[in-house]
Amino acid sequence: MRALVPMFQDLDNFSPERYVFDESEWKTFTKRRKDRLKAKADQANRIQNSIDDPDWKPAAEFARTTAEVWKVLTKDRETYPGLLFSAMPEKVKKYLDVAKNLHTDRANGNVLPLNYYTGGQQFKSTHLVGQAWVQERKMLDQVRARFETQLGTLTALHTMMDMGLKTIKPDRVMTYLFSQLGWLQTLPSSWSKKEVVARYMHKDVIREMTIRADVFAASLDRAGLSNAHRRLDIWFVKFGQEPENDYGITVNLQDKPPGIRGLLERVLKTSQRQNWWITDEQEASKNWPAGEFIELVKRSVKAEGISTSDITSSNPERVQRRTRSVRCMSRDQAEKIFVHQWKAGLVNDPTIYPSRETNISNDNKERILRKIERCEDPHESFVNVLKKQ
């Protein structure tokens, strides 16, 4: 990209008037060309076929979109031979938005564009725990928020990971595999891939994914592996990624026996437990106090009277409503989760959680415990009850 497209070489080469993209104009062009080309094969290559057409007249097609942009969108072979990066219009729009922002920032005297996104904050490669980790997450959330306004949620996290910051990009592949391993409270392992994909962008899922990835990455770091978050991301994505022969990915390992759960079982059976493995929920709760490391409840579908059709439903809300109508854990378990969630919530959200457990009335405590017994989200159980006081 840097070698072929001046916009990516240096901000000195960027000028807003030369890089103009009118999305509605592009959509009109692609629709007209698609309608004109009837054969499916031709439709799949309609952009290149348009350029090869004897009637190709870009000046007539693009009145507002400049040549610097439409040549990228059409992957013009003369100007950009061998251009492989994505030229989808929504991504090109993001490229231009970021370039404009950085150009303006630099014109205002900020020599290092990265300072805008990091707020001048310094991040250590050390994998932190306790309150130091909580503070670092808050700082990283601020960085993510700045990137997110221009790149979107997952691309912001992907960019941060590529920069070497301690996070992952929890895409649908990685989220599904975490779910299958039983590591997520937000997405039970009983859910299908379709159900997981329907909800993987939910903020609570992304939060839990990034927190649990921090613990896993800390284990890799203890084992002496550098860039632990990046390694973790690459391995999981490649394990479950759809085949793509052009880039050397020829099989989806999750679709082949034994799958991710079977693989983990084999590893646990054949290897000795190392002192760098962080598998204990109490250790995780102590080092990463975020309220995410509650004991995962393993409930029997038949015992709870939940039909197989409900569990395999493509509607996650339906499954959630059905499971909430039954008691899926003991009062003993619920009380442990209650105490755990109250302590974690007091650290992360003191405006909702009282400073002393005794400040929660017995009636409210009972309401919260009943919700937790039905496997409702512990944090939501507290919030729903305490906000009504």
Side-chain angles (χ1 to χ4, degrees), residues 357-373:
E357 184 182 347
T358 53
N359 289 342
I360 302 177
S361 70
N362 287 334
D363 286 345
N364 282 336
K365 181 177 180 181
E366 181 62 25
R367 291 188 184 98
I368 295 170
L369 284 169
R370 286 178 181 175
K371 286 176 174 290
I372 294 175
E373 280 181 319

Side-chain angles (χ1 to χ4, degrees), residues 300-312:
S300 165
V301 172
K302 290 184 179 178
E304 302 298 349
I306 303 170
S307 71
T308 305
S309 61
D310 277 345
I311 291 299
T312 57

Side-chain angles (χ1 to χ4, degrees), residues 13 68 110 114 119 122 158 182 196 293 302 318 334 389:
N13 291 306
E68 284 83 354
N110 296 320
L114 193 57
Q122 299 293 316
H158 198 171
V196 170
F293 299 96
K302 290 184 179 178
R318 181 185 175 194
Q389 293 188 119

Side-chain angles (χ1 to χ4, degrees), residues 204-218:
D204 290 341
V205 176
I206 293 174
R207 180 178 185 273
E208 187 178 23
M209 282 289 297
T210 54
I211 289 172
R212 290 185 177 265
D214 282 353
V215 180
F216 201 158

Side-chain angles (χ1 to χ4, degrees), residues 37 39-52:
L37 299 167
K40 289 185 178 180
D42 288 338
Q43 287 185 13
N45 299 294
R46 62 184 179 276
I47 302 302
Q48 189 58 54
N49 289 333
S50 297
I51 298 171
D52 294 337

Side-chain angles (χ1 to χ4, degrees), residues 132-353:
W133 172 80
V134 172
Q135 289 304 118
E136 183 182 56
R137 268 193 71 88
K138 290 180 180 178
M139 292 165 61
L140 287 170
D141 280 343
Q142 293 171 359
V143 176
R144 177 195 51 74
R146 293 190 183 98
F147 275 118
E148 191 172 325
T149 57
Q150 297 167 354
L151 304 176
T153 302
L154 292 187
T155 307
L157 289 168
H158 198 171
T159 302
M160 292 168 64
M161 180 180 65
D162 285 346
M163 288 167 52
L165 296 176
K166 295 195 286 289
T167 190
I168 59 164
K169 176 195 175 187
D171 62 11
R172 60 183 66 190
V173 173
M174 180 177 273
T175 303
Y176 176 60
L177 294 178
F178 269 48
S179 169
Q180 285 292 290
L181 287 166
W183 291 351
L184 300 179
Q185 307 275 354
T186 50
L187 298 174
S189 59
S190 60
W191 282 21
S192 68
K193 186 174 183 179
K194 186 176 181 180
E195 289 171 325
V196 170
V197 169
R199 198 172 184 269
Y200 82 105
M201 285 291 291
H202 194 281
K203 63 180 181 180
D204 290 341
V205 176
I206 293 174
R207 180 178 185 273
E208 187 178 23
M209 282 289 297
T210 54
I211 289 172
R212 290 185 177 265
D214 282 353
V215 180
F216 201 158
S219 290
L220 297 178
D221 184 69
R222 287 185 182 184
L225 299 172
S226 60
N227 301 316
H229 282 82
R230 194 69 172 102
R231 288 175 184 268
L232 175 65
D233 182 273
I234 290 173
W235 192 88
F236 271 89
V237 170
K238 293 297 180 285
F239 188 90
Q241 197 167 40
E242 294 303 317
E244 174 51 78
N245 294 330
D246 290 343
Y247 297 96
I249 302 167
T250 58
V251 65
N252 181 331
L253 294 175
Q254 173 61 12
D255 289 342
K256 302 287 183 181
I260 194 74
R261 278 186 287 194
L263 179 63
L264 179 61
E265 289 172 4
R266 287 184 181 181
V267 171
L268 293 175
K269 286 179 180 178
T270 59
S271 65
Q272 294 183 345
R273 189 64 55 91
Q274 304 294 326
N275 61 7
W276 47 265
W277 284 20
I278 302 171
T279 57
D280 184 81
E281 294 288 335
Q282 289 185 340
E283 181 186 6
S285 298
K286 179 181 178 181
N287 290 336
W288 295 273
E292 300 295 329
F293 299 96
I294 305 161
E295 181 183 0
L296 290 173
V297 179
K298 300 183 184 298
R299 56 183 179 268
S300 165
V301 172
K302 290 184 179 178
E304 302 298 349
I306 303 170
S307 71
T308 305
S309 61
D310 277 345
I311 291 299
T312 57
S313 166
S314 61
N315 186 340
E317 286 73 20
R318 181 185 175 194
V319 177
Q320 198 169 45
R321 285 197 302 271
R322 187 72 184 92
T323 56
R324 284 180 177 179
S325 67
V326 295
R327 186 172 180 267
C328 66
M329 74 173 75
S330 69
R331 174 53 64 104
D332 219 24
Q333 287 175 307
E335 286 180 345
K336 289 180 182 178
I337 292 174
F338 174 93
V339 173
H340 186 285
Q341 179 60 40
W342 171 72
K343 290 179 179 179
L346 183 58
V347 172
N348 295 306
D349 204 343
T351 60
I352 293 177
Y353 291 80

